[in-house]
Amino acid sequence: MLSTDRIEWVICSVGGYFLGVFGPGVPSVWLHAFLGGCPPGFLCQRKVHLFCRGLLPDEKQSAADLDAVLQHHHSIQEKLAEEMLHLARNLKNNTLVAQNVIKQDNQTLSHSLKLADQNFEKLKDESDRLEQHAKKSVNWLLWLMLIVVCFIFISMILFIRIFPKLR
C-alpha cells in the first residue's frame, strides 16, 4: 500500500507532467477522487498546483485562495476591458480625425482640379487667339519689313554713288 507522502509525490509529479503535456482536462479527471470531487478544468488545475506547493491543507483555505485568485483575475479582466474600451475610443477618435482630414484634402484637391481645368481652357483659348493674331500680323509685318530693308539697301547704293570717297 502507498503512503500519503508517496501519493502526494505521484500527484505532484504525474499531475504536473500531465498538466504540461496533455492540457487542462487530463489530470483533473484522473485526480478527481483525491482532490475532493472537483470538476475537470481550470479550478482543478489550480487545486493540483496549490496541493503540490503545499498550499492546500484544507478545503476552506483552498476556497479562500480560489476566491482571491478569481477575484484578482476578475479585476484584471475589468482593467483590461476598460483599457480596451479606452483604446477603442481613441481609435475611433483618430479615425474620425483622419476621415475629416481626408475629406478636406479631397475637397482641396477637387477645387484645385477645377481651377486647373479652367486655367487650361483659358490658356487654350488665349493660345488660339495669339496664333491667329500672329498669322495675321506676321504676314503684313513681314512684307513691310522686306520693303523697308530693300529701300534702305537701294538708298545706300545711291548714296555711295552720289557721294564718292573724298581724296
Side-chain angles (χ1 to χ4, degrees):
M1 180 124 195
L2 291 174
S3 68
T4 55
D5 292 336
R6 183 75 176 152
I7 292 173
E8 288 175 8
W9 180 84
V10 168
I11 289 173
C12 291
S13 61
V14 173
Y17 171 76
F18 283 116
L19 275 174
V21 174
F22 292 109
V26 175
S28 59
V29 171
W30 287 0
L31 304 175
H32 176 73
F34 184 79
L35 293 176
C38 65
F42 175 77
L43 295 177
C44 204
Q45 280 185 12
R46 182 70 181 148
K47 284 185 177 182
V48 169
H49 287 297
L50 290 173
F51 179 79
C52 291
R53 284 188 274 162
L55 300 174
L56 193 61
D58 60 355
E59 194 65 32
K60 290 181 182 179
Q61 184 181 357
S62 171
D65 287 343
L66 286 176
D67 288 340
V69 167
L70 289 175
Q71 187 176 8
H72 177 70
H73 284 285
H74 183 69
S75 65
I76 289 174
Q77 285 179 346
E78 285 181 4
K79 288 178 185 177
L80 288 174
E82 289 175 9
E83 186 176 347
M84 287 175 60
L85 183 63
H86 178 70
L87 290 173
R89 284 183 186 144
N90 284 343
L91 182 63
K92 181 181 177 183
N93 290 337
N94 290 342
T95 304
L96 291 175
V97 168
Q99 180 183 10
N100 290 336
V101 168
I102 290 171
K103 281 183 182 179
Q104 289 175 353
D105 287 348
N106 284 339
Q107 289 174 351
T108 303
L109 184 62
S110 64
H111 181 68
S112 297
L113 286 174
K114 286 178 185 177
L115 289 177
D117 288 340
Q118 289 174 355
N119 287 341
F120 180 73
E121 292 296 325
K122 286 181 183 178
L123 183 63
K124 187 176 177 183
D125 292 341
E126 292 300 321
S127 177
D128 290 341
R129 281 184 49 206
L130 182 61
E131 186 178 331
Q132 290 174 0
H133 181 68
K135 285 181 180 178
K136 195 182 339 176
S137 299
V138 169
N139 201 8
W140 288 104
L141 185 62
L142 182 65
W143 286 107
L144 180 67
M145 289 180 71
L146 188 59
I147 292 171
V148 169
V149 168
C150 289
F151 176 74
I152 292 173
F153 180 72
I154 294 171
S155 299
M156 288 303 292
I157 291 176
L158 289 175
F159 182 75
I160 291 173
R161 296 269 181 192
I162 296 174
F163 298 105
K165 185 177 174 186
L166 294 172
R167 291 192 192 191

